[in-house]
Amino acid sequence: MRRRTALALTLLPAMARAQGAWPSRPIRLVVPFAPGGTTDVVGRIVAEKLGARLGQPVIVENRAGAGATIGAQLVARAEPDGLVLLVSSSTSHGVSPALYPNIPYDALRDFTHVGMIARSPSVLLVNPASPVRNLADFAAAARAAGEVRFAVAGIGTSSHLAGVRLAMALGVRTESIPYRGAGPALTDLMGGVVPAMMDSLPSSGPHVRAGSLRALAVSGAERADGFAELPTLREGGLDVVSYAWFGISGPAGLPAPIVDRLSAELRAVLTDPATRARLEELGGAPPDTTPESYTAFIRDELAAFAPLVRAAGLQPQ
């Protein structure tokens, strides 16, 4: 018995070192959208802080296309070693599973969901040279034309659905102009190529503050932190409440010690005052999160988005 006890005590440091060796190499954080969009902005904020805490760089890798399914599929098929992670979102794990009939992954079964980073309302945007000065102007112009033309960061993105819901509330048609991410769409909006856009505040907020975009309203249930001057769509008489959300996920089968470490470090990043202030400034207040709560949240969102996609008659492009 004494020999077994001594052997166990001898092995404990080695076991601790093996468990604590992760991550032994830089981590790839896949963002399934083009650079410059909300998912990219949020991912890069967290990547920098998470890498500092983990002792290895967290390198953002943009894999855009097909409603975020290309990047999500890459992570779903990766080795469950904690070295390839995903910025999962309301697009990749809410809308796209309802939109694409042959989606190459199961949003629950094929992933280990670690935690939510942020939840952010969309904002209705126009070019600052537009004669549309406020939400009432926008509603009047849309009803007079019988339609709204929106740039969208991809068919089936949460901001796209927010625009569809806004058009439905106005009683007009929607003409969606798809882009490969919010960054290119915002560029064209600022250049006057497209007339309007619904986008999440983390990517468009800096442009609004700089005066290169005009914000008319937000889609949250309340006014957004940092943008209290903007009314909600509900305040403008339109019954629309919509959010985009973002989190960290890995392949199915991530070992429990890695999940526990990632979850703890993510919570530490999100409670860091500077990080929290940065995300709140962009309109995306970080919630208290756990792997269990994030998984349950995604399950609920999957059930909520499916009927909305059907009602809007969306088709993948």
Side-chain angles (χ1 to χ4, degrees), residues 17-305:
R17 283 195 300 274
Q19 193 176 83
W22 180 88
S24 59
R25 302 196 304 275
I27 294 171
R28 295 163 59 199
L29 180 61
V30 176
V31 170
F33 289 100
T38 301
T39 314
D40 183 67
V41 172
V42 169
R44 289 179 189 276
I45 289 172
V46 171
E48 179 184 0
K49 300 293 186 179
L50 200 57
R53 295 193 63 87
L54 292 173
Q56 287 284 351
V58 177
I59 301 169
V60 171
E61 180 177 320
N62 295 91
R63 291 293 187 97
T69 63
I70 291 174
Q73 181 185 13
L74 185 155
V75 176
R77 293 182 175 179
E79 290 295 321
D81 55 12
L83 298 178
V84 181
L85 302 173
L86 174 74
V87 181
S88 48
S89 69
S90 43
T91 300
S92 64
H93 284 72
V95 179
S96 287
L99 179 63
Y100 291 88
N102 299 310
I103 192 168
Y105 58 83
D106 184 287
L108 293 172
R109 187 182 60 241
D110 293 336
F111 295 87
T112 302
H113 298 299
V114 177
M116 186 184 289
I117 300 170
R119 189 181 75 163
S120 176
S122 293
V123 58
L124 175 59
L125 303 162
V126 296
N127 186 283
S130 169
V132 173
R133 310 293 303 179
N134 50 46
L135 183 57
D137 288 349
F138 183 89
R143 286 172 173 143
E147 68 173 12
V148 290
R149 296 179 66 239
F150 283 115
V152 298
I155 296 297
T157 57
S158 57
S159 56
H160 179 199
L161 283 185
V164 169
R165 293 180 67 178
L166 174 57
M168 292 171 66
L170 288 167
V172 300
R173 300 184 304 276
T174 307
E175 181 184 342
S176 301
I177 306 165
Y179 286 80
R180 289 176 63 86
L186 288 169
T187 298
D188 273 7
L189 180 60
M190 287 185 283
V193 177
V194 290
M197 182 177 178
M198 291 288 283
D199 186 44
S200 294
L201 274 171
S203 58
S204 56
H207 300 297
V208 173
R209 293 189 189 283
S212 51
L213 289 174
R214 178 181 298 149
L216 305 181
V218 294
S219 67
E222 300 88 23
R223 295 194 178 199
D225 293 335
F227 292 88
E229 72 281 5
L230 294 179
T232 67
L233 292 172
R234 275 188 171 174
E235 287 180 89
L238 301 171
D239 189 17
V240 177
V241 175
S242 177
Y243 291 93
W245 45 265
F246 317 90
I248 297 292
S249 301
L254 277 185
I258 292 178
V259 176
D260 292 344
R261 174 90 189 278
L262 267 175
S263 175
E265 299 295 4
L266 178 62
R267 289 199 303 273
V269 166
L270 296 179
T271 54
D272 170 68
T275 306
R276 188 174 186 88
R278 172 70 173 138
L279 289 172
E280 288 181 344
E281 183 182 72
L282 294 172
D288 187 20
T289 186
T290 65
E292 294 77 17
S293 67
Y294 188 41
T295 302
F297 178 84
I298 290 174
R299 183 178 292 109
D300 291 344
E301 288 289 278
L302 286 166
F305 273 118

